[in-house]
Amino acid sequence: MAERQRRSPRQARAGATVDAILEAALQLLEAEGPARFNTNRIAERAGVSIGTLYQYFGGRQDILGALAERRAAAVRDHIAATVIAQPTLGSVRTIVRALMASFQGEPETRRAMMDALIERGGEGALLAHHQAFLAAIEGRAKLSVELTPETAFVLTHAAIGLLRAAAAEPGLGLDPQALEDELVRLMESYISALAERQGRGG
């Protein structure tokens, strides 16, 4: 690795500090929810001073946004790897489960993280992940159907849109396994319809 590509000790320490803050924030958020989520308690749990925390983050919402961004990126990369490894209908359930895992947690926590993600990246936040996903699989995935920008948009946004709605409406009492089954049915049906249409040359 070239010298300029190596991370300096200072950069390494900074990266470790950011990781510690985000890990502490996630633990606090999952344990106690958004109500008690504040920078003082995050700094205390991370073992850093409040001044150090503010060197890297602008405040509570900034930390929430960074957490949401990391989770979204991890899920996106996992799905891209799945599509590359299993470019058939068999990968659909794996993809749906990965998406559902990104929406796990208490309703208040899920809403807080989603709101922070949108606040951080605007309405283009999902578009950025959509484009990054397509770039990750381009030339590497041998898909059973040909994806146009329109069909890729439908596939990547349909399940996400429904899961966002489910997170926003916890009073519906949706059963996670039944919801997973229905989302798999939806995506498989759409992919099958695409394959049939493309097989006819339509």
Side-chain angles (χ1 to χ4, degrees), residues 144-186:
S144 57
V145 294
E146 181 182 351
L147 293 182
T148 66
E150 294 76 20
T151 56
F153 174 86
V154 171
L155 277 171
T156 57
H157 282 66
I160 292 173
L162 289 169
L163 286 169
R164 284 180 69 185
E169 302 180 65
L172 293 175
L174 299 176
D175 178 73
Q177 184 58 58
L179 181 59
E180 176 187 310
D181 291 342
E182 294 307 314
L183 290 173
V184 169
R185 192 191 319 276
L186 174 69

Side-chain angles (χ1 to χ4, degrees), residues 11-122:
Q11 289 174 318
R13 286 195 298 272
T17 301
V18 168
D19 287 344
I21 292 169
L22 290 179
E23 179 59 31
L26 181 60
Q27 292 173 4
L28 187 63
L29 189 63
E30 291 184 338
E32 302 181 13
R36 302 193 66 199
F37 188 81
N38 61 62
T39 53
N40 285 319
R41 301 192 72 238
I42 294 167
E44 181 182 0
R45 183 176 283 247
V48 301
S49 70
I50 191 67
T52 297
L53 183 147
Y54 277 106
Q55 287 180 11
Y56 300 101
F57 297 101
R60 174 184 184 277
Q61 282 301 108
D62 194 23
I63 295 172
L64 270 176
L67 278 176
E69 182 64 34
R70 278 199 174 191
R71 176 171 289 189
V75 171
R76 179 197 72 215
D77 292 345
H78 174 64
I79 291 174
T82 299
V83 170
I84 291 168
Q86 307 173 38
T88 65
L89 286 179
S91 64
V92 171
R93 189 170 294 275
T94 304
I95 292 170
V96 169
R97 283 179 178 169
L99 286 172
M100 292 186 73
S102 70
F103 285 85
Q104 285 180 351
E106 293 299 317
E108 296 83 1
T109 299
R110 287 177 284 165
R111 284 198 298 272
M113 291 188 70
M114 181 55 68
D115 289 347
L117 179 64
I118 299 300
E119 181 178 318
R120 184 184 180 92

